[in-house]
Amino acid sequence: MQVFDIEPIDFSKQKSYQHKIDTKTKPLGSLGILEKLALQICLIQKTEYPKLTNPHIIIFAADHGIANEGVSPFPQTVTGQMVQNFWNGGAAINVFSKNNNIGLTIIDAGVNWENNASEWAINKGTKNFLYEPAMTEIELHQAIKNGAKIAENQIVKNNSNVLGFGEMGISNTSSAAILMHIYTGIILEKCVGKGTGLNENGVKNKVEILKKCMNTSHGNETKQNQNPYLALQYFGGFEIAMMCGAMLKTAEKKAIILVDGFIATAAFLAAYFINPLVKEYAIFCHQSDENGHKFMLEFLEVEPVLKLNMRLGEGSGCAVAYPIIASAVHFMNDMASFDSAKVDTINT
Amino acid sequence: MQVFDIEPIDFSKQKSYQHKIDTKTKPLGSLGILEKLALQICLIQKTEYPKLTNPHIIIFAADHGIANEGVSPFPQTVTGQMVQNFWNGGAAINVFSKNNNIGLTIIDAGVNWENNASEWAINKGTKNFLYEPAMTEIELHQAIKNGAKIAENQIVKNNSNVLGFGEMGISNTSSAAILMHIYTGIILEKCVGKGTGLNENGVKNKVEILKKCMNTSHGNETKQNQNPYLALQYFGGFEIAMMCGAMLKTAEKKAIILVDGFIATAAFLAAYFINPLVKEYAIFCHQSDENGHKFMLEFLEVEPVLKLNMRLGEGSGCAVAYPIIASAVHFMNDMASFDSAKVDTINT
């Protein structure tokens, strides 16, 4: 099992970073969330001159056995078709990352298609967790390891210090909803949403199916067991497990984690229960319209940068929020202070 | 008096624009606010291939006689010092607009300083509206005309089709609060906020002073008179009146108006009561933390793009939101459709 050695944030310089923020030529606190982001990034990077280098988004795509139960209005074929769409540059994330100068990598983490498996793929989709665990213990740890390695490569070889993680996988809101339920203790009804577009009856049906999943022997085992890996093995997906590993490694490498929407935050929850120190390295980019996401963010006691009523995944929330995070870094470096600009302050 | 001939939006192509949005490779509606922005820009530009050219922010700065009443914690000297800071490139808006590739123009609309007056300046600050109207009728109409001319120049000579408007002016939240009160009928207590940083007692004092202003003869005259120009003349500022004219002209020229925070929205309210057609051309970029702004936006029945707890002015909300608006335009032009990408839809 891979161990992630995440360094706790050193808060000893916090006052000095805050002083720099407070003496910029603006009313105290008037840049709101941007000031919080600037402070967080200074703390992560241990400097009052923070810098974002080679921002990059990695999308992990995989299929889910639970798709057989009709929990999504889209057929499973769409996962592979959307991966092809990513490769062709036609998806929302291609457009957003390109226009915001963010690099993009697509990983086949376990798509159920005819294509040759990628070097990273674990299997052609997970098993149907209504009947059996989604993956084996070996598969789980390989997925976490692969995710960590992919993130590490991007950080070390390509000198990125800010990584966003996205996903694609038909039915993965079902996996994410169960993980949320297990990790947070929030009732399933609040964890389940319409996903890519279920109607009211579809959502009810999805809740009923996921309740059945929790009443299986492997479901009962996760209830009795506080082991964060077990939930991920029994109800996760390969893309979710890889995101979890990638997030933990990113924090270990002291880079910034951009957390996307509902499924990415489920992966983050797994990472958080494996090592809670990961939280200080994470920026929550966008509160998804998917029902459970706001409760996840409340559970984590974090504030999202954006609320644009989006519910797309693919890392789209990271890509759209990135320029705002960059604005926080830019004001910290480039704004004048009251002193340097010779502007009177309140006490004059 | 300048008349603004704003063309009503032609909704006859709305279904066709919406169809293009709905057949992009994403779940229906999953881009949330970005989809609404894309539709609005298509309607304004009368094309399903919208384009943002030479985005530009114009900051209008002016002083206010009401500053003598201690309604701001900052001294009036700060208005001119901040204009100098804008010129030197040291303010938040310089940083944000530069990094988001937005042009920036600073206009002295009526700063009370020793510098030579700019060609656009109306006077060295307004009169103290606790005792007399803030400006004369001639000054008001000159300010509206100047704002319109400045916007027109940017649109016609510099080929901008998206303009944001910002402001600087110590005590201008007092002017904006009274304008909000008169235009919306919302009680003064809900219109008044801490501005650049008043404490609780300071806010109470500000409310009392503004109540006194409303009980003057010119205050009573505005209550009995539904003329939108009168409120602007008696309680506005030169920067607010110029923004109002600039917004109306921008709509007349079928360009997009980016509305910033509390003071800019007060200017927008004036524009809206002069010609309500201006609203369809406006994007509300950011909901300010200044107390009254959310009520203004509710009154206008509009949804802001961002809520970042900022309360800075300067057009900062426009600059920070701009990349998100650009994302809306980019997805509309560059994303594949289900057909073109050969991705299965729900009905397959």
Side-chain angles (χ1 to χ4, degrees):
Chain A
M1 187 192 300
Q2 185 152 7
V3 175
F4 297 95
D5 184 21
I6 302 175
E7 190 175 285
I9 293 286
D10 172 7
F11 290 96
S12 66
K13 293 275 179 61
Q14 176 164 354
K15 272 195 178 169
S16 129
Y17 303 148
Q18 190 62 52
H19 178 76
K20 185 174 174 189
I21 292 169
D22 290 346
T23 53
K24 297 287 186 185
T25 48
K26 58 173 184 55
L28 199 69
S30 62
L31 284 177
I33 291 175
L34 296 194
E35 298 190 15
K36 292 185 184 175
L37 290 170
L39 177 63
Q40 182 185 6
I41 297 171
C42 287
L43 286 167
I44 292 171
Q45 299 189 351
K46 301 183 186 180
T47 173
E48 60 174 295
Y49 304 100
K51 209 169 149 181
L52 303 178
T53 57
N54 298 332
H56 203 88
I57 289 173
I58 299 168
I59 301 184
F60 298 95
D63 273 310
H64 294 257
I66 193 69
N68 288 336
E69 304 304 319
V71 287
S72 169
F74 282 93
Q76 196 180 63
T77 47
V78 167
T79 305
Q81 290 166 351
M82 281 301 295
V83 170
Q84 196 59 58
N85 194 24
F86 297 143
W87 282 335
N88 295 343
I93 188 60
N94 297 100
V95 175
F96 298 151
S97 53
K98 182 181 161 203
N99 283 292
N100 291 331
N101 296 311
I102 302 166
L104 184 64
T105 298
I106 317 300
I107 302 287
D108 170 6
V111 178
N112 185 21
W113 59 3
E114 295 304 309
N115 285 17
N116 286 328
S118 80
E119 59 176 318
W120 305 107
I122 304 297
N123 206 333
K124 288 190 181 283
T126 51
K127 298 280 191 286
N128 183 344
F129 55 64
L130 177 57
Y131 301 109
E132 56 188 317
M135 63 187 90
T136 66
E137 198 177 349
I138 291 173
E139 287 178 324
L140 171 69
H141 289 290
Q142 190 61 50
I144 292 174
K145 202 173 152 187
N146 286 5
K149 190 68 195 162
I150 291 162
E152 187 174 19
N153 285 348
Q154 187 58 40
I155 295 166
V156 175
K157 294 188 187 165
N158 298 323
N159 196 30
S160 291
N161 70 4
V162 50
L163 292 189
F165 302 105
E167 44 57 49
M168 175 69 214
I170 292 301
S171 300
N172 65 6
T173 57
S174 288
S175 175
I178 287 210
L179 292 175
M180 173 185 173
H181 169 65
I182 297 170
Y183 288 128
T184 66
I186 295 169
I187 57 167
L188 262 174
E189 282 81 353
K190 290 176 86 171
C191 302
V192 174
K194 62 183 173 181
T196 50
L198 291 174
N199 61 20
E200 206 176 319
N201 274 334
V203 174
K204 273 186 195 160
N205 182 50
K206 188 171 162 186
V207 170
E208 289 313 309
I209 290 167
L210 298 189
K211 279 185 176 170
K212 279 187 200 163
C213 298
M214 284 306 297
N215 284 327
T216 55
S217 61
H218 55 287
N220 286 320
E221 200 185 332
T222 60
K223 284 181 218 166
Q224 288 151 18
N225 197 315
Q226 299 294 312
N227 180 341
Y229 293 100
L230 206 63
L232 202 51
Q233 182 197 331
Y234 286 0
F235 294 104
F238 298 131
E239 83 283 41
I240 295 175
M242 280 199 202
M243 275 197 283
C244 169
M247 288 170 175
L248 288 163
K249 179 56 80 174
T250 301
E252 187 184 277
K253 290 289 177 190
K254 301 185 181 61
I256 299 160
I257 304 162
L258 302 181
V259 183
D260 192 34
F262 184 64
I263 295 129
T265 310
F268 180 84
L269 276 172
Y272 176 71
F273 278 95
I274 290 170
N275 189 335
L277 293 172
V278 71
K279 189 172 139 180
E280 304 288 353
Y281 294 86
I283 293 172
F284 293 82
C285 291
H286 175 258
Q287 180 179 305
S288 170
D289 238 24
E290 174 68 5
N291 189 48
H293 199 217
K294 63 179 173 296
F295 305 118
M296 272 183 180
L297 298 177
E298 279 171 16
F299 176 85
L300 286 163
E301 299 179 333
V302 293
E303 191 176 15
V305 178
L306 298 177
K307 294 180 188 175
L308 297 176
N309 304 336
M310 286 163 46
R311 47 178 181 80
L312 177 60
E314 304 180 0
S316 57
C318 305
V320 172
Y322 179 74
I324 293 182
I325 298 160
S327 288
V329 167
H330 291 310
F331 98 73
M332 195 63 179
N333 287 300
D334 300 338
M335 260 183 87
S337 69
F338 281 103
D339 263 5
S340 73
K342 297 190 180 113
V343 173
D344 295 336
T345 61
I346 293 178
N347 298 319
T348 307
Chain B
M1 188 192 299
Q2 185 151 7
V3 174
F4 297 95
D5 183 22
I6 302 176
E7 191 175 284
I9 293 286
D10 172 8
F11 289 97
S12 65
K13 294 276 179 60
Q14 176 164 354
K15 273 194 178 171
S16 128
Y17 303 148
Q18 190 62 50
H19 178 76
K20 186 174 174 190
I21 292 169
D22 290 346
T23 53
K24 296 289 187 186
T25 48
K26 58 173 185 53
L28 199 69
S30 63
L31 285 177
I33 292 175
L34 297 194
E35 298 190 14
K36 292 185 185 175
L37 290 170
L39 178 62
Q40 182 185 6
I41 297 171
C42 287
L43 287 166
I44 292 171
Q45 300 188 351
K46 300 184 187 180
T47 174
E48 59 174 295
Y49 304 101
K51 209 170 149 182
L52 302 178
T53 56
N54 299 331
H56 203 89
I57 289 173
I58 300 167
I59 301 185
F60 298 95
D63 274 310
H64 293 258
I66 194 69
N68 288 337
E69 304 305 319
V71 288
S72 169
F74 282 93
Q76 196 180 62
T77 47
V78 167
T79 304
Q81 290 166 351
M82 280 301 295
V83 170
Q84 195 61 57
N85 194 23
F86 297 142
W87 282 335
N88 295 344
I93 187 61
N94 297 100
V95 175
F96 298 151
S97 53
K98 182 180 162 202
N99 283 290
N100 291 331
N101 296 310
I102 302 166
L104 185 64
T105 298
I106 317 300
I107 301 288
D108 169 6
V111 179
N112 185 20
W113 60 4
E114 295 304 310
N115 284 19
N116 286 329
S118 80
E119 59 176 316
W120 304 108
I122 304 297
N123 206 331
K124 289 188 180 283
T126 51
K127 299 279 190 288
N128 183 344
F129 56 63
L130 177 57
Y131 301 110
E132 57 187 316
M135 61 187 90
T136 67
E137 198 177 349
I138 290 172
E139 287 177 324
L140 170 69
H141 290 290
Q142 189 62 49
I144 292 174
K145 202 172 151 187
N146 286 6
K149 189 68 195 162
I150 290 163
E152 186 174 18
N153 285 347
Q154 187 57 39
I155 295 166
V156 176
K157 295 187 186 165
N158 298 323
N159 196 29
S160 291
N161 70 4
V162 49
L163 291 189
F165 302 105
E167 45 56 50
M168 176 70 216
I170 293 300
S171 300
N172 64 7
T173 58
S174 288
S175 174
I178 287 211
L179 292 175
M180 173 186 173
H181 169 64
I182 297 170
Y183 287 128
T184 67
I186 295 169
I187 56 167
L188 262 174
E189 281 82 352
K190 291 176 84 171
C191 302
V192 174
K194 63 182 171 180
T196 50
L198 290 174
N199 61 19
E200 206 176 320
N201 273 335
V203 174
K204 272 186 196 162
N205 182 49
K206 188 171 162 186
V207 170
E208 290 313 308
I209 290 167
L210 298 189
K211 279 185 175 171
K212 278 187 201 165
C213 297
M214 283 308 297
N215 284 326
T216 56
S217 61
H218 55 287
N220 286 320
E221 200 185 331
T222 60
K223 286 181 216 165
Q224 288 150 19
N225 197 315
Q226 299 295 312
N227 181 341
Y229 293 101
L230 206 64
L232 202 51
Q233 182 197 331
Y234 286 0
F235 294 104
F238 298 130
E239 83 282 41
I240 295 175
M242 279 199 204
M243 275 197 283
C244 170
M247 288 170 175
L248 287 163
K249 178 57 79 174
T250 301
E252 186 184 277
K253 289 290 177 190
K254 302 184 180 61
I256 299 160
I257 303 162
L258 303 181
V259 183
D260 193 34
F262 183 64
I263 294 129
T265 309
F268 180 84
L269 276 172
Y272 177 71
F273 278 94
I274 290 170
N275 189 336
L277 293 172
V278 72
K279 189 171 137 181
E280 303 288 352
Y281 294 86
I283 293 172
F284 293 82
C285 291
H286 175 257
Q287 180 180 305
S288 170
D289 238 23
E290 175 68 6
N291 188 49
H293 198 218
K294 63 179 174 296
F295 304 119
M296 272 183 180
L297 297 177
E298 279 170 16
F299 176 84
L300 286 163
E301 298 179 334
V302 293
E303 193 175 14
V305 177
L306 298 176
K307 294 180 188 176
L308 297 175
N309 304 337
M310 288 163 44
R311 47 178 181 81
L312 177 60
E314 304 180 0
S316 57
C318 305
V320 172
Y322 179 75
I324 293 183
I325 298 159
S327 288
V329 167
H330 292 309
F331 98 74
M332 194 63 179
N333 287 300
D334 299 338
M335 259 182 87
S337 69
F338 281 102
D339 263 4
S340 73
K342 297 192 181 108
V343 173
D344 295 335
T345 61
I346 293 179
N347 299 317
T348 307

